Amino acid sequence: MRRLDRRLKLMALSLVLTGSLGCAAHRQPASQEFYKLAEVDSQYFLLPPGSAWSQQAHQTIQLPIRYDGNRMPENQCSIHGKWFSLYPAQYQGTAYWSAETPLAETWAQNGGYVDMKGEWSKFLGELSARQRCFASPNELAMVEQGMVANMALPADESLFYRYSYGPGGYVDLALGMELRIERNLFAKEGGDLQSGENYQGTITTYYRVAHDADQRTQLKFLRSEGDYKKFATSVANLPDTTLASRFKESSHLRLLLQSLVVSGNIKSPAILLGGREIQSLNEATRMMVNDPKATCDDLDPSQVDCVNFQGVVTVSAMLNVVVNGHTTYIPLGSRAWYVFPHSLNSLQSDIVKTLRIRRRFEGRYIDLQFARNEQDVGQILLFGGDEISWSKTSPQ
């Protein structure tokens, strides 16, 4: 009976995406396209446009990226995994990349027994090893992003698949993010180095994550806050204001977050990595994550750029969102509640009633549908570029 109840529930909640990105014949009308937050077998899922019920375990996604058979043979470019697959497929006489990913029901049934994050990481490793199957690193990234945008995902794990943010302790920097470096400075002579009387001040440096003409991920220096002239001697040899030039040859940027867990009396600082190719970046990441003693000097500078943020410093990846028409930056991992004004719960309930969240999908914005209650709103993790608004009669 429980199995039947689950099936009936999924008829309204689960999805199968038989259409494709860029294939108008398979699309729903734009007015019917939306993301949806839905509860499946007591777990919240983020469902992409095209929601419907299916008895199949996987959905098929056709990506609007052509496969060039002259580049590499099909059998050397295809990935056929139990959970995630990618391969060339014909559509109207043209070969496109097609992908298979689990449906929401499959996630719900197997998530407690299968390490889906590990399976996805394994798939990405196989994908990066097939770089020669794609015209450029940007094309490979488009395939990955297209799969993620169309996957049914556990809501509380969505940032891992979107930004690699999760158990690995790092985050892939994406277009529109802001990199924020907040450094506390202390006098070097005498006493407790980090005591209040030794504290000199704080300087904060901001970068915007952008794309260059070749669609490579780059850092654009924005500004610095704090008295740099006063601390000129203290900051002279710090990397904080030189990241744009240091990483100008990198195509992919990854921030390894500071580890607050001491292993063998070693606490890993925040580290910024940049790779010409994703495969070399992955290899450098594995070395740094697996060996707390590893430093930038252990990496091949011809393949990977690296900066180690020593000292009392916090390095954060911030997401750009628009709140009631105003762009702001929020910490990665923020839920919808974060952008609400700090007010009485009764006033926040009024916001929930008129709350609207719009999210980018295939180059345009579509609505995110969710139940109008505080529990469901609390499950929504915000993505970069999200547009959040509520009625002007609610508190601002």
Side-chain angles (χ1 to χ4, degrees):
M1 179 62 69
R2 185 171 182 270
R3 173 71 175 175
L4 177 59
D5 289 343
R6 180 192 297 168
R7 287 284 187 184
L8 293 174
K9 191 175 185 180
L10 287 170
M11 290 181 69
L13 299 180
S14 194
L15 69 92
V16 56
L17 185 62
T18 56
S20 65
L21 300 171
C23 298
H26 291 158
R27 285 190 185 279
Q28 294 182 352
S31 61
Q32 298 179 21
E33 289 190 332
F34 49 82
Y35 279 103
K36 185 172 184 177
L37 181 73
E39 190 176 356
V40 180
D41 199 16
S42 301
Q43 183 177 1
Y44 282 93
F45 282 83
L46 179 65
L47 306 181
S51 298
W53 180 78
S54 173
Q55 292 184 350
Q56 303 298 318
H58 292 77
Q59 62 170 337
T60 299
I61 306 167
Q62 185 184 3
L63 303 168
I65 303 172
R66 294 186 179 184
Y67 164 71
D68 183 358
N70 295 322
R71 191 176 303 280
M72 289 286 288
E74 180 177 330
N75 63 343
Q76 296 184 28
C77 291
S78 299
I79 303 172
H80 294 284
K82 182 177 181 180
W83 305 105
F84 303 99
S85 299
L86 181 72
Y87 49 84
Q90 291 288 327
Y91 176 74
Q92 295 184 350
T94 302
Y96 289 88
W97 288 103
S98 291
E100 293 180 9
T101 64
L103 289 171
E105 184 186 25
T106 307
W107 285 97
Q109 290 177 340
N110 296 278
Y113 308 98
V114 178
D115 179 10
M116 286 295 195
K117 295 189 188 74
E119 292 293 332
W120 176 249
S121 297
K122 178 182 176 182
F123 170 81
L124 292 183
E126 295 186 41
L127 181 62
S128 66
R130 288 165 171 78
Q131 175 67 71
R132 293 175 60 191
C133 298
F134 301 90
S136 66
N138 182 53
E139 187 174 275
L140 186 152
M142 289 174 61
V143 167
E144 178 186 341
Q145 293 164 9
M147 291 180 65
V148 171
N150 284 278
M151 284 166 55
L153 296 172
D156 61 352
E157 299 176 0
S158 56
L159 295 181
F160 173 78
Y161 297 92
R162 179 67 67 117
Y163 302 115
S164 301
Y165 180 66
Y170 58 84
V171 56
D172 289 330
L173 300 188
L175 180 67
M177 278 185 178
E178 184 178 85
L179 186 68
R180 184 175 300 177
I181 307 165
E182 186 175 5
R183 182 181 295 275
N184 293 329
L185 299 174
F186 297 86
K188 294 184 178 181
E189 59 274 2
D192 181 4
L193 180 62
Q194 296 181 20
S195 67
E197 60 187 26
N198 241 353
Y199 172 73
Q200 292 183 305
T202 299
I203 54 175
T204 306
T205 309
Y206 299 85
Y207 289 87
R208 181 74 42 78
V209 181
H211 282 170
D212 66 8
D214 297 322
Q215 297 299 304
R216 298 183 306 172
T217 302
Q218 302 281 279
L219 290 176
K220 179 182 179 181
F221 176 80
L222 295 178
R223 67 188 185 279
S224 295
E225 296 177 351
D227 194 343
Y228 265 77
K229 291 183 179 179
K230 176 182 177 181
F231 305 129
T233 302
S234 301
V235 303
N237 297 317
L238 296 177
D240 301 11
T241 61
T242 63
L243 300 181
S245 59
R246 287 183 181 226
F247 289 87
K248 65 180 180 180
E249 300 298 328
S250 297
S251 299
H252 312 276
L253 298 175
R254 179 172 292 166
L255 175 64
L256 277 62
L257 304 173
Q258 180 183 20
S259 173
L260 300 179
V261 179
V262 177
S263 175
N265 294 323
I266 298 175
K267 185 171 69 173
S268 300
I271 298 173
L272 184 62
L273 296 175
R276 280 72 167 169
E277 297 183 357
I278 190 66
Q279 192 168 6
S280 58
L281 183 61
N282 289 339
E283 292 172 356
T285 301
R286 281 192 292 269
M287 176 185 293
M288 291 295 189
V289 171
N290 294 333
D291 183 4
K293 296 181 179 180
T295 68
C296 292
D297 293 336
D298 297 318
L299 303 177
D300 182 354
S302 68
Q303 298 295 320
V304 180
D305 297 308
C306 179
V307 164
N308 187 322
F309 294 95
Q310 296 287 357
V312 185
V313 56
T314 300
V315 186
S316 306
M318 311 291 287
L319 296 178
N320 60 313
V321 298
V322 178
V323 181
N324 288 328
H326 300 284
T327 299
T328 188
Y329 289 86
I330 62 174
L332 185 65
S334 298
R335 297 182 184 269
W337 291 114
Y338 185 87
V339 300
F340 289 7
H342 298 290
S343 57
L344 297 176
N345 290 336
S346 59
L347 297 178
Q348 292 196 352
S349 296
D350 291 337
I351 294 177
V352 171
K353 294 176 183 177
T354 62
L355 180 64
R356 185 184 187 188
I357 298 177
R358 303 178 73 229
R359 182 161 289 175
R360 288 187 65 84
F361 177 75
E362 299 179 26
R364 63 191 185 281
Y365 277 92
I366 61 176
D367 282 296
L368 169 60
Q369 290 193 352
F370 50 90
R372 300 289 166 172
N373 60 66
E374 296 181 9
Q375 179 177 338
D376 282 47
V377 171
Q379 304 297 321
I380 301 173
L381 287 163
L382 296 177
F383 290 178
D386 280 356
E387 295 182 347
I388 307 104
S389 61
W390 52 83
S391 171
K392 293 183 179 179
T393 59
S394 300
Q396 299 296 309

